Amino acid sequence: MENKRIIQVEEKVPFKLLVPLSIQHMFAMFGASVLVPFVFGINPAVVLFMNGVGTLLFILITKGRAPAYLGSSFAFLAPAGVVISKWGYEYALGGFVVVGFLGCILAVIVWKFGSDWIDVVLPPAAMGPVVALIGLELAGTAASNAGLTDEVIDSRNVIVFLVTLLTAVLGSVLFRGFLSVIPILIAIIAGYVAALACGIVDFEQVAAASLFSIPNFSTPKFKWEAIVILIPVLLVITSEHIGHQIVTSKIVGRDLLKDPGLHRSLFADNFSSMISGLIGSVPTTTYGENIGVMAMTKVYSVYVIGGAAVLSIICSFIGKMTTLINTIPGPVIGGISFLLYGMIGTSGIRILVESQVDYNKSRNMAMTSVIFVVGLSGINVQFGSIQLSGMVLACVVGMLMGLMFFVFDKLKLTNDREEE
């Protein structure tokens, strides 16, 4: 390991290295993955369980040829938040099931016809702002969690918030080696210590919790209006998945889009999300944090990632641990959210940069501009009992504009087609 020997995807790892390397992968995903159940107001035990199960399913379905750890998806935060506020978490679960099922169908379509059509429905000039809106919409939630929007602001909350945020920011810039992969986890620990010092942590529930417990499984309910609000996220997570597979392919030196194939990895990702909704967990997605771990360590073995998945499942049954996680106060979550939500917004801008979107073309300027304004304007569009707003409405508008420009191109009506 000292000379960074590459351990390839199918290669087994000695047990003395397997355990620490697997723990490293679990730590890498932990900080971000448990943030999603906090935002939704649910116990993280079932999420840790499904992260592990989902990862093992992914390894199985991709025949052990695509190293990836599945953690909680951030793409659903804004639309699922709307559903939860209106009808409750169980109806968000129903939406997760349907989106996962549709994603599995999409994987079959990709298997038959390829994935070029995605750039028609949501080209980079539209995908970028849609992804950015996922984070930007949640900015107010981050401030609220931190207690910064209260009528009377508690100075203790401010102190904990600043310690958490500064640790996350400085850690992402200054930490080296393994620490550079887990700045979010370190920031949560630092914020928690600050919260203890400020006296805003309550351990009563931890003391009362049993050592072992069953994760808080629950069943979904289905409502057409809730499902429609969540469906547009499918294109966002598909684009995210393709991006992660391309990056991972470059790291491991193999074309994972061909072997095991995009259709297999996409199916596995969405099948895991569908199962998540059926048992009460949040949708899963391949995690960039764990891709970073592979890039740093040059250890690509699916056995290591599978080990991390098993550890996550074990942790989900330790009652005191999951209860301890629930004691993390709002200012800590708010501090982390300030960075993570901003990073989601920035990742949307990154799509625009890396896709080299040409804003000298009127279509690109119009598409990005309209999507941003629609998403941030607070507009609500009502179709019967279905209400579209924010990122969901912006995504629908972007899709309509993408299809419209595609038709215009076919009819040779656009004024920039000769430049393409």
Side-chain angles (χ1 to χ4, degrees):
M1 289 301 295
E2 287 79 5
N3 60 0
K4 295 286 187 182
R5 180 179 75 84
I6 293 176
I7 298 179
Q8 263 301 346
V9 178
E10 302 91 352
E11 192 172 344
K12 293 184 178 180
V13 178
F15 185 77
K16 64 180 181 180
L17 289 178
L18 178 63
V19 173
L21 288 174
S22 294
I23 291 174
Q24 178 174 248
H25 267 288
M26 190 178 74
F27 277 175
M29 69 86 192
F30 190 86
S33 198
V34 300
L35 185 62
V36 177
F38 271 117
V39 174
F40 289 160
I42 65 170
N43 190 299
V46 69
V47 174
L48 290 174
F49 175 82
M50 195 58 221
N51 286 351
V53 172
T55 300
L56 294 177
L57 285 171
F58 187 94
I59 292 172
L60 177 65
I61 293 171
T62 58
K63 299 182 176 180
R65 296 176 187 167
Y69 194 96
L70 269 59
S72 306
S73 174
F74 280 73
F76 288 83
L77 282 177
V82 173
V83 172
I84 292 170
S85 65
K86 288 187 174 183
W87 302 292
Y89 181 64
E90 62 271 23
Y91 288 100
L93 291 176
F96 300 158
V97 173
V98 174
V99 172
F101 176 73
L102 292 176
C104 291
I105 294 176
L106 180 62
V108 175
I109 294 174
V110 169
W111 176 47
K112 290 290 186 182
F113 303 105
S115 59
D116 291 344
W117 58 272
I118 294 175
D119 282 338
V120 173
V121 179
L122 270 184
M127 183 66 73
V130 167
V131 172
L133 283 168
I134 295 172
L136 297 178
E137 266 194 301
L138 293 166
T141 302
S144 177
N145 285 336
L148 302 181
T149 57
D150 297 345
E151 289 187 13
V152 179
I153 297 178
D154 190 331
S155 59
R156 297 178 301 172
N157 290 345
V158 176
I159 292 171
V160 174
F161 163 78
L162 289 175
V163 168
T164 307
L165 177 59
L166 287 174
T167 303
V169 171
L170 295 178
S172 65
V173 175
L174 301 177
F175 290 165
R176 297 179 183 275
F178 174 50
L179 295 181
S180 67
V181 185
I182 56 169
I184 291 174
L185 181 62
I186 294 172
I188 289 176
I189 294 171
Y192 195 83
V193 171
L196 286 172
C198 291
I200 58 174
V201 179
D202 183 4
F203 285 114
E204 288 185 8
Q205 291 183 342
V206 179
S210 58
L211 180 59
F212 299 104
S213 64
I214 303 297
N216 48 312
F217 298 115
S218 59
T219 54
K221 292 183 180 180
F222 298 90
K223 195 179 189 70
W224 172 245
E225 297 93 324
I227 292 169
V228 169
I229 290 174
L230 289 167
I231 282 177
V233 182
L234 178 59
L235 284 170
V236 176
I237 59 176
T238 300
S239 175
E240 178 186 56
H241 178 87
I242 293 172
H244 281 176
Q245 290 302 99
I246 291 172
V247 172
T248 306
S249 295
K250 291 178 181 177
I251 291 172
V252 303
R254 304 180 180 185
D255 190 350
L256 301 178
L257 299 182
K258 292 183 178 179
D259 183 20
L262 177 61
H263 61 288
R264 282 187 177 275
S265 61
L266 189 61
F267 181 90
D269 203 345
N270 284 281
F271 183 70
S272 174
S273 288
M274 183 174 71
I275 300 300
S276 293
L278 287 172
I279 69 170
S281 186
V282 301
T284 55
T285 184
T286 50
Y287 249 35
E289 289 87 345
N290 297 88
I291 295 173
V293 172
M294 288 190 287
M296 184 190 74
T297 61
K298 298 188 183 301
V299 177
Y300 315 138
S301 172
V302 293
Y303 292 96
V304 170
I305 293 177
V310 171
L311 288 175
S312 184
I313 293 171
I314 293 172
C315 286
S316 71
F317 287 92
I318 301 177
K320 285 192 179 295
M321 177 175 287
T322 54
T323 306
L324 181 64
I325 294 171
N326 270 334
T327 65
I328 299 175
V332 174
I333 302 304
I336 293 297
S337 300
F338 256 62
L339 179 61
L340 287 181
Y341 294 165
M343 288 173 67
I344 296 171
T346 304
S347 67
I349 298 173
R350 184 176 177 178
I351 289 174
L352 300 176
V353 174
E354 293 184 348
S355 301
Q356 297 181 329
V357 175
D358 185 359
Y359 283 108
N360 286 319
K361 293 183 177 180
S362 299
R363 72 170 69 192
N364 292 335
M365 181 65 77
M367 187 173 287
T368 301
S369 302
V370 170
I371 290 172
F372 266 129
V373 173
V374 168
L376 296 172
S377 63
I379 296 173
N380 294 305
V381 176
Q382 196 85 19
F383 293 98
S385 57
I386 300 170
Q387 187 180 78
L388 303 179
S389 62
M391 183 277 293
V392 177
L393 179 60
C395 186
V396 172
V397 169
M399 291 166 62
L400 292 175
M401 293 181 74
L403 290 171
M404 181 176 68
F405 292 151
F406 177 73
V407 172
F408 288 167
D409 279 341
K410 290 298 182 182
L411 296 176
K412 299 181 179 181
L413 295 176
T414 54
N415 55 20
D416 59 3
R417 58 186 175 83
E418 66 274 1
E419 300 173 17
E420 297 181 348

